[in-house]
Amino acid sequence: MSTLYDIINVPHPSLKAVANPIDSVTNDIRKQMDTMLATMYDAPGIGLAANQVDILNRVLVMDLAGTDEKKNPICMANPEIIYESEEMSVMEEGCLSIPHQAAEVERPAIVRVKYLDYNGNPAELEAEGLLSHCVQHEIDHLNGTLFIDYLSSLKRNMILKKVEKLKKQNLI
Ligand code: GNR
Ligand code: NI
């Protein structure tokens, strides 16, 4: 039986915290990545950052494969954006920590990310489309930023109120 983490929701303070770099990808970090992947698949979602499971280290996981496709897990420690295109892209985003809410977010269309992989080896990923939005969304989490922080305060507060209402109705 594999254990899962609990995903925290707004307004938990860990979602606003800046996560700490890891020294190296140890067996414990690999275990954390495995449990984060299981938690993400269970949710289900296409990405998960450590802050969302109340762990403040710079670890994220992603998998954009569809439910009927072969799994394609991507694990990153200490990710850094080393290139972003001037061209921008707008896409509807959601977040497991802001359940049942979505909004259009504008981000650099293409990014290149440097990170340590599951085996602790340096790696780079160039991403466009949904993967680009996802990896930027996850790195934002590690920096205490949520997609609603890019919206007007009016839209952000509407979303936060809707989440509170769903909680009160026990729908989350
Ligand atoms: O499952 C998720 N879908 C998604 C869609 C568009 C842009 C980003 C994402 S990430 C999100 C899961 C999540 O909250 N990751 O932090
Ligand atoms: Ni999110």
Side-chain angles (χ1 to χ4, degrees), residues 9-142:
N9 292 331
V10 283
H12 194 295
S14 291
L15 295 170
K16 300 229 115 176
V18 179
N20 303 112
I22 59 155
D23 292 331
S24 66
V25 180
T26 58
N27 285 332
D28 276 355
I29 295 290
R30 268 186 283 279
K31 264 195 224 169
Q32 178 188 333
M33 288 168 166
D34 291 338
T35 305
M36 284 177 63
L37 279 169
T39 303
M40 181 191 76
Y41 291 131
D42 180 72
I46 60 170
L48 189 68
N51 299 50
Q52 293 180 276
V53 295
D54 205 7
I55 301 174
L56 293 181
N57 63 14
R58 299 187 77 79
V59 171
L60 66 84
V61 298
M62 302 184 289
D63 194 333
L64 272 72
T67 40
D68 47 348
E69 288 173 313
K70 194 177 166 232
K71 284 194 167 91
N72 182 28
I74 300 172
C75 299
M76 297 185 175
N78 298 346
E80 284 178 54
I81 296 176
I82 55 169
Y83 164 80
E84 47 185 54
S85 64
E86 290 188 28
E87 187 196 341
M88 301 295 280
S89 162
V90 176
M91 213 174 256
E92 179 137 291
E93 298 193 11
C95 181
L96 294 170
S97 297
I98 314 172
H100 306 298
Q101 312 302 317
E104 288 196 333
V105 180
E106 184 178 42
R107 300 183 184 275
I110 300 173
V111 291
R112 195 165 182 86
V113 181
K114 184 183 116 169
Y115 62 98
L116 298 176
D117 69 15
Y118 189 84
N119 295 310
N121 295 318
E124 291 187 9
L125 173 77
E126 186 163 284
E128 64 178 321
L130 183 58
L131 181 60
S132 178
H133 276 259
C134 187
V135 74
Q136 291 180 71
H137 174 120
E138 303 314 334
I139 292 171
D140 271 353
H141 273 301
L142 302 179

